[in-house]
Amino acid sequence: MTNQRNPRGPYRKSAERREQILQAAYEAIDEHGERASLQDIADRVGVTQPALTYYFPTRDDLLLAVLERRDMRGKEIAGAAASGKGMVEGMAASARHATDHPGLAKLSVTLSAAATDPESPAHDYFTERYRALAAEVTQELEAQQKAGALRADQPADHLARAVLAVMDGLQIQWMHDPTVDIAAIAETFARVLAPSAGAGQEAKRRDHPGH
Amino acid sequence: MTNQRNPRGPYRKSAERREQILQAAYEAIDEHGERASLQDIADRVGVTQPALTYYFPTRDDLLLAVLERRDMRGKEIAGAAASGKGMVEGMAASARHATDHPGLAKLSVTLSAAATDPESPAHDYFTERYRALAAEVTQELEAQQKAGALRADQPADHLARAVLAVMDGLQIQWMHDPTVDIAAIAETFARVLAPSAGAGQEAKRRDHPGH
């Protein structure tokens, strides 16, 4: 994935302007959700709406770029937490990131739902988004399986899709009922993916049948 | 949950008519998704659109009643498969039910996403829907934990919310990419909830420390 969706800005100044607009949109949606207006976003940067349209031809282009940035931040946060304290803390951090930024979480859910329609302009984008996310998470989980930090009795690509599904589904439940502690549920889910002592012993027995 | 959302039909004939309309709407959405028109639904029953409006005042009322029916069918199908062959087959059956009826699955995803907005008229409906589903699944999982058919080292209410989340999330992924085998992924997910041989032995050791 790349943040340079619009190749028309050939100069550095143009790239900076695009980045300013994207960051302003990210912050406006973080604060106000999808109700954030293009005018509000243009005002934050000090440009006109047509200038904004030069960088992001449609509202959807801008919203998808914001979602891309949210995906990236989410991965950084989950990755940082996981590298220190393992997958349980990584998934909890990911859930907390969602509930700390409800406007961005809601953007993700509603854009994704709208794009399930094959005729939606964002349909192909989401197909590729999930494919890329699934591939990345699979790679990460395979590494954890090799390191003995994740149960290795189930295929990593299935577990990766399940992890993504659980995070999507929990965000939806939280939006319907903010009293649901989805960080705690995400932790529980991460725990069922831990290699159990029994499974480890069983694997050892398989590897060293004489012992 | 009940199917009698409109108490205005005091006669049996009225209840039958309501049921005919609901069933026609269910079938129309199963075939054509949300594009199914009220006129098409009215035609299937042989009533006028105003007659339809008598039973379901708004389009949302009708769509939510269809979703309620889908939830019920889904639970019956998952329950029947699970009672014969356990949770793995129950979750796979549930995923297959979703992919066999894409129009109904899409209705569920889009209505739920739209209702995440607290100002949506369906917001309270979905809050209650998830609460009721979570309570039912929790009860079912607690029974399975007692029967030794489900790992008992994690709280049933967390696992229930995770099961609902994974089913929602996998449906979304499948709608973005129908080549993803979500029934197989749901089976993998159900397998990680199975009591591991090691965990079982550990529980036995806890219960009978002398053995």
Side-chain angles (χ1 to χ4, degrees):
Chain A
M1 270 192 287
T2 166
N3 279 315
Q4 300 299 335
R5 296 170 62 78
N6 185 333
R8 279 184 289 173
Y11 303 108
R12 184 170 169 186
K13 201 175 162 191
S14 173
E16 279 172 11
R17 177 53 52 93
R18 187 185 182 282
E19 168 58 28
Q20 287 170 342
I21 293 171
L22 177 50
Q23 185 58 28
Y26 185 90
E27 288 165 11
I29 288 168
D30 192 8
E31 287 168 34
H32 304 296
E34 274 182 275
R35 285 197 193 91
S37 69
L38 292 179
Q39 190 58 56
D40 172 20
I41 294 163
D43 287 348
R44 284 171 191 243
V45 191
V47 299
T48 59
Q49 274 205 45
L52 198 143
T53 308
Y54 171 78
Y55 295 95
F56 299 95
T58 69
R59 186 178 167 82
D60 261 1
D61 289 326
L62 183 56
L63 294 181
L64 289 177
V66 168
L67 178 61
E68 211 168 280
R69 174 148 301 188
R70 181 200 181 237
D71 283 346
M72 215 163 50
R73 295 261 167 95
K75 275 185 285 189
E76 282 165 12
I77 286 163
S83 75
K85 298 175 183 172
M87 186 150 170
V88 169
E89 194 42 45
M91 284 194 71
S94 186
R96 277 194 299 270
H97 181 244
T99 57
D100 287 347
H101 301 279
L104 294 163
K106 189 164 181 322
L107 179 75
S108 163
V109 167
T110 53
L111 285 184
S112 173
T116 55
D117 189 336
E119 284 168 35
S120 151
H123 184 72
D124 292 346
Y125 174 86
F126 271 91
T127 305
E128 189 48 38
R129 172 182 182 253
Y130 278 106
R131 202 171 286 164
L133 284 174
E136 282 173 47
V137 178
T138 298
Q139 209 169 20
E140 168 65 25
L141 296 189
E142 277 171 352
Q144 291 195 26
Q145 284 182 328
K146 273 181 199 149
L150 182 78
R151 59 189 297 160
D153 60 340
Q154 303 296 336
D157 58 336
H158 280 198
L159 296 181
R161 288 272 181 182
V163 165
L164 293 173
V166 153
M167 296 312 295
D168 276 355
L170 287 180
Q171 283 177 57
I172 292 170
Q173 289 181 38
W174 180 80
M175 280 177 245
H176 288 303
D177 184 355
T179 67
V180 178
D181 186 353
I182 65 168
I185 298 168
E187 280 183 19
T188 294
F189 176 71
R191 263 184 225 113
V192 304
L193 300 184
S196 77
Q201 282 158 15
E202 204 174 290
K204 263 185 220 155
R205 277 195 298 275
R206 270 203 311 274
D207 290 348
H208 308 282
H211 295 245
Chain B
M1 271 192 286
T2 166
N3 278 315
Q4 301 298 336
R5 297 171 61 80
N6 185 334
R8 279 184 289 172
Y11 301 108
R12 184 169 168 187
K13 201 175 160 190
S14 173
E16 279 172 11
R17 177 54 50 94
R18 187 186 183 282
E19 167 58 27
Q20 287 170 342
I21 293 171
L22 177 50
Q23 184 57 28
Y26 185 90
E27 288 166 10
I29 288 169
D30 192 8
E31 286 169 33
H32 304 296
E34 273 181 277
R35 285 197 193 92
S37 69
L38 292 180
Q39 190 57 56
D40 173 21
I41 294 163
D43 287 347
R44 284 171 191 242
V45 191
V47 298
T48 59
Q49 273 206 45
L52 198 143
T53 309
Y54 173 78
Y55 295 95
F56 300 95
T58 70
R59 188 180 165 82
D60 261 1
D61 289 327
L62 184 56
L63 295 180
L64 290 178
V66 168
L67 178 61
E68 211 167 283
R69 173 148 301 186
R70 181 200 181 238
D71 283 346
M72 215 163 50
R73 295 261 167 95
K75 275 186 284 187
E76 282 165 13
I77 286 164
S83 74
K85 298 175 182 171
M87 187 149 168
V88 170
E89 194 43 44
M91 285 194 69
S94 186
R96 276 194 300 269
H97 181 244
T99 58
D100 287 346
H101 301 279
L104 294 162
K106 188 166 182 320
L107 178 76
S108 163
V109 167
T110 53
L111 284 184
S112 172
T116 55
D117 190 335
E119 284 169 36
S120 151
H123 184 72
D124 292 346
Y125 174 86
F126 271 91
T127 304
E128 189 48 37
R129 173 182 182 251
Y130 277 106
R131 203 172 286 164
L133 284 173
E136 282 173 47
V137 178
T138 298
Q139 208 170 19
E140 169 64 26
L141 297 189
E142 277 171 351
Q144 291 195 26
Q145 284 181 329
K146 272 180 197 150
L150 182 78
R151 58 190 298 161
D153 60 340
Q154 303 296 335
D157 59 335
H158 281 197
L159 296 181
R161 288 272 181 184
V163 165
L164 292 173
V166 105
M167 296 312 294
D168 276 355
L170 287 180
Q171 283 178 56
I172 293 170
Q173 289 181 37
W174 179 81
M175 280 178 246
H176 288 303
D177 184 354
T179 67
V180 177
D181 186 353
I182 64 167
I185 298 168
E187 280 183 20
T188 294
F189 178 77
R191 262 184 225 113
V192 304
L193 300 185
S196 77
Q201 282 158 14
E202 206 174 288
K204 264 185 221 155
R205 276 195 297 274
R206 269 203 311 274
D207 290 347
H208 310 280
H211 295 247

